[in-house]
Amino acid sequence: ALPGVANARSRLQESRERLSVCSKLCYAVGGAPYQITGCALGFFLQIYLLDVAQLDAFYASIILFVGRAWDAITDPMVGFFISKSSWTCFGRLMPWIIFSTPFAVISYILIWFVPDISRGQVMWYLVFYCIFQTLVTCFHVPYSALTMFISREQSERDSATAYRMTVEVLGTVLGTAIQGQIVGKVDTPCIESPLFIGVTNSSVALEELNMTHDTGSLTDTRNAYMIAAGVIGGLYILCALILWAGVREKRESSELQSDEPVSFFQGLKLVMNHGAYIKLIAGFLFTSLGFMLLEGNFALFCTYTLGFRNEFHNILLAIMLSATLTIPFWQWFLTRFGKKTAVYVGISSAIPFLIMVVVLDSNLIITYIVAVAAGISVAAAFLLPWSMLPDVVDDFKLQHPSSPGHEAIFFSFYVFFTKFASGVSLGISTLSLDFAGYQTRGCSQPSEVNFTLKMLVSAAPVVLILLGLLLFKLYPIDEEKRRKNKKALQDLREESNSSSESDNTELASIV
């Protein structure tokens, strides 16, 4: 009879932990602001700083590197402060999300504003980029850790993660569509280089004439960036409100026992000594880096190397739409064949198409085919890290059952390593364009710049993806290990609950 009682109790516990579709959707919507703003910045900030704000490529590289590096540093800082936060009536994580939102939106809009100052433009963009990155971290780190506080059931967390990834990739579509379509309606003026029209007095005069003629058009472009920023800021606030209204943070979902948690730095040492975590973030560090290099330089590559100045926003949209539509497929695939298999199949599928786009002659139809194929791989790269991180946290809990409360460390340091590496890569890639002789607002670029762009969107990402996939061979949590961990965690919780019930019974008998 006892096994039957245990099974009935287990089924009752699972039913209590089940999340409604509405809760999953509200939780998923909370992931959109980070992706909408991140995608707009990732695809458009480099070309905006170079061709609209008209900064020198060297200074643009400093802004991109310092901004992303600062963004990386703020993740563990915020993770530390969250671990020290006390529970409130709204939870421990939700207040961070709500109170950071309005200030994040203001700083985001100011990134896309061109100040009327001859000096200090570099500091303007650097300061507001860093402020925004800090505030969006105050939103995203607690939101990421919220995965562990919505349910104790692995299957429910995986399902909620799939909802979240679908909405997040939809967020990247929205970021690409809003920014791309609004900005794409306006032709950003370019200047013919004297190298292509002959260096004579008349050519210099023609260039000056072009610059005078283009002033109005450049103002229109700047206004378009501001309108796009305002629309994206409004969506940011709306999504934060839906998350707050529809998701309840459950304190008991992450706790096995009532022991006092160890200090942040002791917890950090424990987390960094957990082999499965280090192997997971090492693999995703390289694969994410490959896709970030592609993202950061793709607008310039389409505009100058492929010659699709008026089509690049539509090509970006094709990538993101393809990624959104294939998220459900990858969720089914990882459930059917396992997460490690999904990593190898999903992420490696981008390699032949990344090679094809630079080897074949510039062709719009081929470029769209490559964009759709790349989107399928991007979907896998989006879904899998966030689907696999909770498995690592569960594995850690089994090895350290008396040391709870480190979820924010796991999620914030994964983001830290990824962002810091992306900051380095973006800074180096923009600096390499400067060394290659990038012409600000040029209608065309020297052959050295086009060669550099080919390396940045094809050769470098392919090498990084292959390195990441090799590292995944070392990742120890396969499907069998995952099932064993789930069973062991369930037994541990039941043992903890029965022990608590026994203590309560003894206390009642004494009273």
Side-chain angles (χ1 to χ4, degrees), residues 79-136:
F80 170 77
F81 287 119
I82 288 171
S83 70
K84 295 295 182 184
S85 300
S86 55
W87 282 81
T88 68
C89 57
F90 298 112
R92 189 172 71 175
L93 304 174
M94 202 64 78
W96 285 83
I97 293 169
I98 295 304
F99 290 124
S100 65
T101 294
F103 303 105
V105 169
I106 292 168
S107 57
Y108 177 78
I109 291 171
L110 290 174
I111 290 171
W112 302 103
F113 176 71
V114 181
D116 189 17
I117 48 177
S118 55
R119 294 183 180 181
Q121 270 196 345
V122 174
M123 285 305 299
W124 173 280
Y125 291 113
L126 189 58
V127 167
F128 283 110
Y129 190 31
C130 288
I131 290 173
F132 172 73
Q133 297 290 18
T134 305
L135 291 165
V136 81

Side-chain angles (χ1 to χ4, degrees), residues 163-404:
Y163 275 81
R164 171 190 163 188
M165 289 302 109
T166 304
V167 173
E168 285 198 1
V169 179
L170 184 60
T172 64
V173 172
L174 281 172
T176 309
I178 292 166
Q179 191 88 1
Q181 298 303 313
I182 292 175
V183 172
K185 298 291 182 192
V186 182
D187 288 330
T188 303
C190 64
I191 302 166
E192 288 289 353
S193 169
L195 292 172
F196 298 99
I197 58 177
V199 184
T200 63
N201 289 335
S202 60
S203 70
V204 174
L206 178 61
E207 184 175 327
E208 290 174 357
L209 179 65
N210 282 342
M211 291 179 73
T212 307
H213 175 71
D214 288 337
T215 305
S217 184
L218 188 59
T219 303
D220 292 341
T221 303
R222 291 173 176 177
N223 290 338
Y225 273 100
M226 284 297 293
I227 292 166
V231 174
I232 287 173
L235 281 173
Y236 192 122
I237 293 170
L238 178 64
C239 292
L241 289 173
I242 291 171
L243 174 68
W244 175 74
V247 175
R248 189 169 71 87
E249 190 179 337
K250 300 174 184 176
R251 184 172 187 171
E252 69 278 4
S253 290
S254 70
E255 295 177 355
L256 286 173
Q257 301 177 7
S258 59
D259 295 354
E260 284 294 315
V262 298
S263 73
F264 175 84
F265 293 105
Q266 286 175 306
L268 178 60
K269 187 178 177 182
L270 286 172
V271 167
M272 289 303 161
N273 285 330
H274 190 60
Y277 179 62
I278 296 302
K279 287 161 187 171
L280 182 74
I281 61 175
F284 276 119
L285 180 66
F286 285 99
T287 55
S288 301
L289 205 49
F291 285 106
M292 285 174 185
L293 265 181
L294 177 65
E295 177 190 69
N297 294 282
F298 197 71
L300 290 171
F301 176 72
C302 285
T303 301
Y304 295 113
T305 307
L306 298 182
F308 302 137
R309 178 179 288 274
N310 298 321
E311 282 291 329
F312 81 84
H313 52 280
N314 293 324
I315 296 166
L316 296 180
L317 193 55
I319 293 174
M320 293 307 158
L321 278 172
S322 169
T324 305
L325 294 173
T326 49
I327 280 278
F329 165 76
W330 287 118
Q331 175 62 20
W332 167 83
F333 189 95
L334 69 85
T335 306
R336 177 72 178 80
F337 300 102
K339 295 178 182 179
K340 282 189 78 170
T341 307
V343 167
Y344 296 130
V345 175
I347 294 177
S348 64
S349 63
I351 292 174
F353 295 100
L354 290 176
I355 295 169
M356 187 190 301
V357 77
V358 297
V359 170
L360 298 178
D361 291 334
S362 176
N363 183 294
L364 189 58
I365 294 172
I366 290 174
T367 305
Y368 272 107
I369 292 169
V370 170
V372 171
I376 295 169
S377 195
V378 165
F382 259 84
L383 176 64
L384 288 160
W386 301 111
S387 180
M388 294 166 83
L389 266 172
D391 299 338
V392 174
V393 177
D394 285 344
D395 189 63
F396 177 85
K397 283 180 179 177
L398 279 174
Q399 294 185 30
H400 305 278
S402 60
S403 183

Side-chain angles (χ1 to χ4, degrees), residues 404-453:
H406 304 306
E407 292 81 8
I409 297 176
F410 274 99
F411 285 89
S412 63
F413 269 88
Y414 165 69
V415 178
F416 164 77
F417 287 119
T418 308
K419 285 180 178 176
F420 188 81
S422 77
V424 172
S425 69
L426 259 179
I428 290 172
S429 66
T430 310
L431 202 56
S432 64
L433 290 174
D434 186 37
F435 289 143
Y438 182 86
Q439 311 259 332
T440 300
R441 287 180 64 202
C443 293
S444 55
Q445 296 293 340
S447 58
E448 292 85 356
V449 171
N450 289 325
F451 176 76
T452 304
L453 285 169

Side-chain angles (χ1 to χ4, degrees), residues 459-507:
V462 167
V463 170
L464 289 166
I465 288 169
L466 288 173
L467 278 172
L469 293 176
L470 283 173
L471 286 167
F472 271 115
K473 295 289 287 181
L474 304 173
Y475 178 66
I477 303 177
D478 55 15
E479 290 308 296
E480 184 181 354
K481 170 89 168 169
R482 207 162 71 90
R483 282 192 290 270
K484 286 180 180 176
N485 283 355
K486 180 182 178 182
K487 177 73 168 61
L489 269 176
Q490 195 173 331
D491 292 343
L492 202 58
R493 286 191 182 110
E494 285 176 4
E495 184 184 326
S496 179
N497 288 338
S498 62
S499 172
S500 176
E501 287 171 12
S502 173
D503 290 344
N504 289 339
T505 305
E506 286 179 19
L507 182 63

